[in-house]
Amino acid sequence: MATSPQYALDFERPLLELERKIDELKALAASGSLDVAADIAKLEKKARKLQQEIFSDLSRWQVTQLSRHMARPYFLDYVGFLFTDFFELCGDRSFGEDPSIVGGFARFDGQPVLVMGHQKGRNTKENMLRNFGMPRPEGYRKARRLMEMAEHFGRPILTFVDTPGAYPGIGAEERGQAEAIAVNLEVMSRLRVPIISTVVGEGGSGGALAIGVGNRVLMMENSIYSVISPEGCASILYRDASKAGRAADALKLTARDLLEMKIVDDIVQEPSGGAHRDPPRAAESLGRALRKHLAELQTLSGDELVADRYDRFRALGVFTEA
Amino acid sequence: MAWFSKKPRIATKETAPEAGEVSSRMKGLWAKCEECDEIIYRQDLERNLNVCTVCGHHMAWPARARLAALLDEGTFEEHDLGLEPQDPLGFVDSKKYKDRLRSTRKALGEADAFLSCTGRIEGRPVSVGSFIFEFMGGSMGSVVGEKVTRVFERAYERQCAAIIFSASGGARMQEGIFSLMQMAKTSAAIARYREVRKPYISVMLHPTTGGVAASFSWLGDVIIAEPKALIGFAGPRVIEQTIRQKLPEGFQRSEFLLEHGMIDAIVHRKDLRAKLAQLLGLLG
């Protein structure tokens, strides 16, 4: 799938330019007016080489930009690719419905599971609805309700993380944003069903972790996971949000960094050029990873799953003890 | 369950904190109230638990002085003294994180931003933790998260009540993702602690925000706040930048939270020990 140029990142442009030329030549060839097959082959080779060059050595800031790419597959795209029989469930049963987290039951390889994730929008109208993927307390409370239901019915939980963070607004504070997140962290730690959390785009701080306490935590190759956004970090520490690239390096927030630090368990490979260049293949890759980890977790009892998750997070932290 | 059978090696310091240690760090004979600008004789202020003798404003009360006043005399026993922070990311801002840790430690004589101990309140055993806000704004990195976790593990093993005094700006950026993970680790420890059916009392001090508010602090069976403490998820500046308007007077203060049903009670510092003892009696 070619990226729509309106969403293109700066470092993608040379490649998209080349691909546009190839498309033009192909159109010309199709019209039969000229024999340009050799030229097309040459340019395609060049495009592959260029793609390889650009994407083999991305900076952390470039990965950050890819993780937020407007054409990147979002949670509901993955639901379409990987699940059947999806039934969305809404509302927190006490205040409202928050569409920035979507959840429901569906089938994965025929097996009923709870799927749930942050949902961003691709245009202004969608983003108004989804609040740019920034949940309010109702979103987290709905998430909790659905996860407890999944445990009640013995269904595995697959969560998909993709948020800039929990929404910092007046209403969100009045209704207990911090409490809603805290309760999810506690509840997730003791659920007796398998939980796999995958960071598919942006893993923004506590708002991400609030649906991210899994037995396994996976990251898509070009996703990020961080305690604070690079811009936020830069504006606090360097008093200059434009130094976000430097902050991204300091925070070490890419999938590769986090695997090395043993914060995540596995990296899901994306198609060359990023998930947005070929969403069905990205989904296929994610599906394979979920299948493998779910099969492993389903050999564990409820007690073992709770202990496994507890031990996993208990071990995280770096300090010395005399 | 495996890690629970392994007893952590616990270093203890038998000596109780002395009020004198604290006051020697607070230079000068006079202090100014941040709220009413009144000049107060420092000894009067300390005798009044750092509450302004004129307007009743609750000023910062250092962790060691607080615990000395709240726990039964001679029962304070500090734990986890050997825990020291590392620099897992090799973080550098205007200063190297390592150097920042070293200079803060030198200035305060504390290894990190948290103190964990056991003791008694009116004879009842408690496992207690308190932030040391002066240490990098009470930010939570791996050492803080580990100590909080051990407060609940100790309460679990001893089947006693747990109390945490929070005063923190949230996660410690310099430890990146490790600081975020402390939210999950501490909350999971509380989930396990619930099994012993002893109370966890969370006392929120000024300020309690970010990842600390959004994890163990808001998970208290009972949540108490000091008057006018700033408590919330996002800091006021972040919210103002997001919504592009001024925040209403009193927003995110203890009184606001009580009104919105988010905390159980606001307790004046002079009543704190009695109220804690009362709750321990009713629930412990």
Side-chain angles (χ1 to χ4, degrees):
Chain A
M1 181 177 115
T3 306
S4 161
Q6 75 183 93
Y7 296 145
L9 301 171
D10 281 346
F11 62 89
E12 290 182 299
R13 281 187 201 283
L15 181 62
L16 297 179
E17 192 62 24
L18 201 55
E19 285 176 345
R20 193 178 55 80
K21 273 186 200 150
I22 294 170
D23 286 346
E24 278 171 13
L25 279 177
K26 278 182 176 167
L28 211 60
S31 69
S33 52
L34 274 170
D35 183 14
V36 287
D39 293 329
I40 292 175
K42 215 168 105 188
L43 282 180
E44 280 182 333
K45 197 176 158 197
K46 196 175 159 194
R48 276 196 299 275
K49 200 170 154 230
L50 185 62
Q51 174 152 316
Q52 165 77 32
E53 272 169 24
I54 295 172
F55 286 90
S56 63
D57 191 24
L58 293 172
S59 71
R60 291 191 178 91
W61 179 240
Q62 287 174 321
V63 174
T64 303
Q65 290 173 292
L66 278 177
S67 77
R68 301 166 174 170
H69 203 296
M70 289 286 279
R72 197 170 167 79
Y74 293 149
F75 168 60
L76 284 172
D77 300 310
Y78 288 117
V79 171
F81 288 123
L82 293 174
F83 301 91
T84 55
D85 218 11
F86 177 57
F87 195 116
E88 184 181 352
L89 303 174
C90 295
D92 71 344
R93 297 295 189 270
S94 52
F95 182 81
E97 155 64 5
D98 182 353
S100 60
I101 290 183
V102 175
F105 289 87
R107 289 179 190 274
F108 182 57
D109 296 335
Q111 182 197 355
V113 295
L114 172 67
V115 290
M116 191 166 67
H118 300 102
Q119 181 64 37
K120 293 180 176 176
R122 283 210 174 80
N123 52 46
T124 310
K125 198 178 149 204
E126 279 178 21
N127 269 323
M128 292 287 283
L129 175 72
R130 306 292 181 188
N131 200 30
F132 298 86
M134 294 187 284
R136 299 180 168 93
E138 298 73 62
Y140 294 114
R141 292 185 179 127
K142 170 174 70 177
R144 174 198 179 181
R145 183 174 77 84
L146 299 189
M147 290 191 288
E148 286 182 330
M149 198 194 303
E151 182 189 44
H152 182 70
F153 292 111
R155 302 293 184 240
I157 299 171
L158 305 177
T159 70
F160 299 76
V161 172
D162 189 12
T163 180
Y167 185 63
I170 290 183
E173 293 289 331
E174 284 176 333
R175 301 192 299 277
Q177 186 72 285
E179 191 263 0
I181 293 170
V183 168
N184 277 19
L185 300 179
E186 183 183 346
V187 166
M188 285 189 90
S189 79
R190 60 168 166 71
L191 292 176
R192 300 168 55 82
V193 291
I195 306 177
I196 302 174
S197 300
T198 309
V199 184
V200 294
E202 260 184 295
S205 198
L209 186 63
I211 62 165
V213 186
N215 294 87
R216 300 288 157 83
V217 181
L218 319 180
M219 278 179 87
M220 297 290 288
E221 189 181 353
N222 295 310
S223 66
I224 60 165
Y225 199 0
S226 180
V227 67
I228 186 169
S229 70
E231 292 90 338
C233 178
S235 76
I236 295 172
L237 292 185
Y238 314 127
R239 301 188 196 291
D240 182 356
S242 69
K243 289 187 177 138
R246 206 175 126 196
D249 278 332
L251 289 165
K252 297 198 169 59
L253 40 59
T254 66
R256 208 186 300 170
D257 291 325
L258 270 72
L259 186 70
E260 214 166 277
M261 295 189 276
K262 298 192 167 67
I263 299 289
V264 301
D265 304 288
D266 206 353
I267 296 178
V268 180
Q269 296 300 318
E270 294 182 20
S272 176
H276 63 289
R277 304 265 297 168
D278 193 347
R281 263 186 61 211
E284 210 181 289
S285 179
L286 176 55
R288 267 197 306 277
L290 291 174
R291 210 163 281 129
K292 170 180 161 242
H293 289 287
L294 188 57
E296 285 171 16
L297 291 173
Q298 287 192 304
T299 62
L300 302 179
S301 69
D303 282 345
E304 286 168 335
L305 285 165
V306 173
D308 171 77
R309 208 177 303 121
Y310 195 98
D311 293 346
R312 188 194 182 286
F313 284 90
R314 181 67 185 84
L316 298 181
V318 178
F319 54 85
T320 54
E321 184 160 24
Chain B
M1 293 290 186
W3 61 271
F4 244 105
S5 57
K6 241 189 292 170
K7 277 232 161 102
R9 282 179 297 141
I10 295 167
T12 59
K13 188 163 90 177
E14 298 294 337
T15 50
E18 285 180 28
E21 282 177 21
V22 176
S23 61
S24 70
R25 267 188 251 121
M26 301 163 87
K27 300 258 158 62
L29 280 172
W30 300 89
K32 188 173 163 187
C33 173
E34 307 136 12
E35 190 68 23
C36 70
D37 286 348
E38 194 71 31
I39 308 288
I40 311 157
Y41 189 46
R42 191 173 296 279
Q43 261 190 5
D44 287 346
L45 185 64
E46 282 173 14
R47 210 171 295 133
N48 203 38
L49 316 176
N50 280 18
V51 176
C52 175
T53 50
V54 179
C55 74
H57 176 65
H58 285 52
M59 291 184 232
W61 196 16
R64 290 184 187 277
R66 176 182 294 274
L67 292 171
L70 291 178
L71 297 177
D72 295 352
E73 216 182 316
T75 66
F76 172 89
E77 186 185 348
E78 187 167 357
H79 300 286
D80 313 319
L81 278 160
L83 286 188
E84 304 213 349
Q86 294 288 297
D87 177 21
L89 305 184
F91 201 96
V92 181
D93 49 272
S94 60
K95 228 176 173 183
K96 283 185 182 164
Y97 177 45
K98 266 191 178 148
D99 293 342
R100 198 178 287 279
L101 284 173
R102 199 175 302 130
S103 60
T104 312
R105 174 178 200 151
K106 206 172 155 204
L108 298 176
E110 302 284 358
D112 209 310
F114 201 81
L115 180 171
S116 49
C117 66
T118 48
R120 287 176 181 272
I121 293 179
E122 294 196 355
R124 295 176 194 279
V126 281
S127 178
V128 182
S130 176
F131 274 86
I132 298 165
F133 185 73
E134 300 80 2
F135 198 106
M136 295 183 71
S139 56
M140 171 164 65
S142 294
V143 167
V144 172
E146 180 68 20
K147 285 192 178 186
V148 171
T149 302
R150 291 188 188 183
V151 165
F152 291 103
E153 289 176 355
R154 220 169 270 121
Y156 180 97
E157 284 165 23
R158 300 175 184 210
Q159 309 228 340
C160 70
I163 305 175
I164 302 267
F165 298 94
S166 296
S168 169
R172 186 174 295 169
M173 249 181 296
Q174 291 85 347
E175 292 190 25
I177 195 74
F178 287 103
S179 59
L180 184 68
M181 293 300 138
Q182 303 312 307
M183 294 170 65
K185 177 162 115 180
T186 54
S187 302
I190 292 172
R192 184 163 282 194
Y193 168 66
R194 308 272 195 217
E195 289 168 20
V196 301
R197 296 185 188 277
K198 294 287 176 184
Y200 159 35
I201 304 171
S202 174
V203 184
M204 294 182 172
L205 312 172
H206 175 74
T208 299
T209 59
V212 169
S215 61
F216 56 88
S217 288
W218 231 304
L219 293 173
D221 291 298
V222 178
I223 300 172
I224 286 172
E226 285 199 337
K228 291 188 181 155
L230 178 79
I231 299 165
F233 176 66
R237 225 176 353 149
V238 174
I239 300 174
E240 279 184 346
Q241 281 166 6
T242 308
I243 62 172
R244 293 170 204 281
Q245 62 188 74
K246 285 296 264 181
L247 292 170
E249 180 76 22
F251 181 67
Q252 291 183 312
R253 298 286 164 173
S254 309
E255 297 72 15
F256 171 93
L257 291 161
L258 186 70
E259 196 179 307
H260 283 86
M262 296 315 303
I263 58 174
D264 290 288
I266 297 171
V267 174
H268 191 286
R269 204 171 276 168
K270 70 174 164 35
D271 303 323
L272 191 53
R273 181 177 145 87
K275 291 286 184 187
L276 289 174
Q278 186 188 358
L279 277 172
L280 295 175
L282 291 167
L283 301 174

